[in-house]
Amino acid sequence: MHEIKKKIGFVYFNTIAHIYHSAAIACEMSKNRDFEVTILVSLESNLKTLEKVMSEYCPEHTCRFVLLRPSGWYRLRTMFHKNRQGLFPKVSKVVKYNKKTLMGFDALVVTDFSLRHLMKKDVDRKVRYICTFHGAGDRAYGFSERRKAFDFLLIPGKSSWDRLFEKKIVNDRNARIVGYSKFDLVLDSRSSSKRLFNNDKLTFMFNPHFEDGLSSWNHWGNRVLEYFYNNPAWNLIFAPHVMLFNKKKNPIAEKYYHAGNIIVDYSSGALMDMTYTINSDVYIGDVSSQVYEFLYRPRPCIFLNPHGFIWKGDPSFKMWNLGDVVENFLQFDGAAQRAVQHHGKYIRKQIEQIEYKFSKSPVPASRRAAHAIADFLNNRH
């Protein structure tokens, strides 16, 4: 008589960026014969990306893929919408119309708070809810009290653990440090150095966040683009958070697309798979957690503070200790000119912070995470 397998669902109801933070874990879980792993997706284009990414990472994985259908109204809208692949279903509607399917799993693994609607309905806690996080940034959002709603948390490193522990959100029973599984997917031969420009100039990456109250884009974004347009001795990759222009069409002036030293990309998969963070020399940003992915290999950073935040000593701006901070845009030219020269001041801090941010081990992070989930579900944690 065969033992009944536990059913695990990996949930992708948000942007493509979330895929890279748990897909490798799903592959590793599928190797465990005690579990049946299902990939639950709400957008067809994300389904295709997942199939491709997971088959490249682990061709022998046994995950099955399910495209969950939202409401009939959504399906009607997409029939007549020009960009039907990019019309994102509302998460609450996906949960509402697929409640029975979702409740049929022993555990659901998610990168964010998108299952909060289901958690409220699951009053008897029939499902175990597991969070992998999506990124390893410093913002208070990542350390919200809402994390307490999860049964189990997978933590990228001691930095996040310490902040969550201080807030009494994690303990030895409901969380484990496992490392950063995204690196398993992208830090291999497929993501090695690529020639993005037809020259050997110093390449800057500009990566503004999407939230108006935090982002440098609305205040200084076009000024940064114009600066590099007028300084062709350097390259610029404009690669913002994928949500910055989520509902805008062609938001960037045409001339920047035709500048030989500028790449403009605000929607492709290269924003998420570390193509740009790997293949740039200097990072320009504000509060995006992508800076830590960039700093996996220490390099110069410039941080923009158009909002005038009082940031020193604030743990939500800890990353700003790792490079020059521009408080007035008149300082930007000097910061760009001295970026490489000033890097020596920050190398040691960058190395220490990366070691604190990401737990490293000979065992891949995704495999450590899969083992942690299995132990938790088998009550061996």
Side-chain angles (χ1 to χ4, degrees):
M1 183 176 178
H2 295 290
E3 186 177 344
I4 298 175
K5 294 184 177 183
K6 287 186 173 69
K7 296 181 178 180
I8 314 297
F10 280 73
V11 176
Y12 302 95
F13 294 165
N14 253 310
T15 67
I16 188 175
H18 293 249
I19 286 171
Y20 293 89
H21 293 286
S22 64
I25 302 172
C27 288
E28 296 296 338
M29 287 251 31
S30 77
K31 298 176 183 178
N32 189 324
R33 295 183 180 180
D34 292 337
F35 301 97
E36 178 183 289
V37 180
T38 302
I39 307 300
L40 302 162
V41 196
S42 64
L43 189 67
E44 192 171 348
S45 58
N46 279 1
L47 176 63
K48 292 177 180 177
T49 299
L50 275 157
E51 289 176 331
K52 179 177 183 295
V53 166
M54 292 171 68
S55 65
E56 288 177 349
Y57 170 73
C58 181
E60 69 274 16
H61 81 79
T62 60
C63 301
R64 69 187 189 101
F65 297 85
V66 174
L67 181 63
L68 297 181
R69 300 295 180 182
S71 66
W73 170 240
Y74 171 82
R75 293 196 292 274
L76 186 63
R77 284 176 66 205
T78 55
M79 284 183 191
F80 303 101
H81 200 280
K82 291 181 181 179
N83 185 27
R84 59 190 303 175
Q85 287 297 314
L87 192 61
F88 223 93
K90 193 172 181 179
V91 173
S92 60
K93 297 295 184 184
V94 176
V95 171
K96 178 180 178 181
Y97 287 94
N98 295 277
K99 179 186 172 185
K100 184 177 180 181
T101 298
L102 294 168
M103 292 289 287
F105 287 89
D106 295 291
L108 291 171
V109 183
V110 69
T111 60
D112 58 7
F113 301 112
S114 58
L115 289 183
R116 63 186 182 278
H117 308 288
L118 185 66
M119 290 178 179
K120 291 178 182 178
K121 298 175 187 295
D122 186 9
V123 291
D124 296 325
R125 213 62 171 187
K126 295 179 179 178
V127 180
R128 311 305 292 276
Y129 299 93
I130 299 168
C131 184
T132 70
F133 292 70
H134 61 285
D138 297 325
R139 290 192 304 134
Y141 167 86
F143 308 95
S144 165
E145 293 285 330
R146 290 193 292 172
R147 298 285 181 200
K148 290 181 178 179
F150 289 98
D151 296 292
F152 196 57
L153 298 168
L154 298 170
I155 315 295
K158 198 168 186 307
S159 173
S160 297
W161 176 279
D162 287 349
R163 282 184 72 179
L164 291 164
F165 185 80
E166 185 179 348
K167 298 184 72 172
K168 295 182 170 57
I169 293 173
V170 299
N171 55 57
D172 291 336
R173 296 179 304 281
N174 72 351
R176 191 181 296 182
I177 294 175
V178 296
Y180 200 60
S181 67
K182 180 175 180 177
F183 290 147
D184 296 348
L185 280 179
V186 299
L187 291 178
D188 61 12
S189 58
R190 293 188 297 277
S191 62
S192 58
S193 296
K194 297 177 182 178
R195 192 174 177 84
L196 301 179
F197 293 93
N198 191 27
N199 61 59
D200 296 315
K201 300 172 185 176
L202 192 71
T203 297
F204 291 72
M205 172 186 173
F206 180 30
N207 174 230
H209 199 259
F210 71 96
E211 290 190 29
D212 288 343
L214 296 168
S215 178
S216 57
W217 172 253
N218 287 336
H219 293 75
W220 293 350
N222 279 301
R223 296 174 75 175
V224 173
L225 291 175
E226 187 66 11
Y227 178 85
F228 285 94
Y229 184 80
N230 292 322
N231 288 275
W234 293 327
N235 296 324
L236 176 69
I237 300 169
F238 176 54
H241 190 289
V242 70
M243 293 291 288
L244 180 62
F245 302 126
N246 193 34
K247 296 182 180 178
K248 296 179 183 177
K249 187 177 181 181
N250 301 326
I252 305 302
E254 190 68 23
K255 69 177 184 179
Y256 299 124
Y257 289 93
H258 300 295
N261 68 319
I262 297 176
I263 289 173
V264 174
D265 183 357
Y266 53 86
S267 61
S268 87
L271 296 174
M272 277 70 70
D273 68 6
M274 291 183 64
T275 293
Y276 299 136
T277 49
I278 288 171
N279 294 287
S280 51
D281 304 303
V282 182
Y283 179 92
I284 304 169
D286 34 60
V287 299
S288 175
S289 64
Q290 279 198 48
V291 66
Y292 287 119
E293 296 178 5
F294 173 86
L295 286 173
Y296 191 80
R297 177 165 56 87
R299 283 161 287 171
C301 294
I302 299 170
F303 299 100
L304 307 182
N305 187 18
H307 298 279
F309 293 121
I310 308 300
W311 60 272
K312 292 183 179 179
D314 187 335
S316 293
F317 292 92
K318 192 168 185 178
M319 62 182 72
W320 286 13
N321 292 290
L322 306 179
D324 287 352
V325 179
V326 174
E327 308 284 0
N328 182 308
F329 198 76
L330 293 175
Q331 301 169 345
F332 183 78
D333 176 60
Q337 297 281 354
R338 296 187 296 270
V340 175
Q341 178 186 342
H342 275 197
H343 187 222
K345 294 164 42 179
Y346 300 107
I347 290 177
R348 175 47 52 191
K349 288 182 181 178
Q350 290 180 352
I351 292 172
E352 289 174 353
Q353 183 61 8
I354 290 301
E355 289 177 351
Y356 188 39
K357 181 66 68 172
F358 301 117
S359 171
K360 296 180 182 179
S361 165
V363 180
S366 51
R367 196 171 304 161
R368 294 166 67 189
H371 291 163
I373 293 173
D375 286 348
F376 171 72
L377 295 176
N378 290 327
N379 296 315
R380 294 197 302 265
H381 187 68

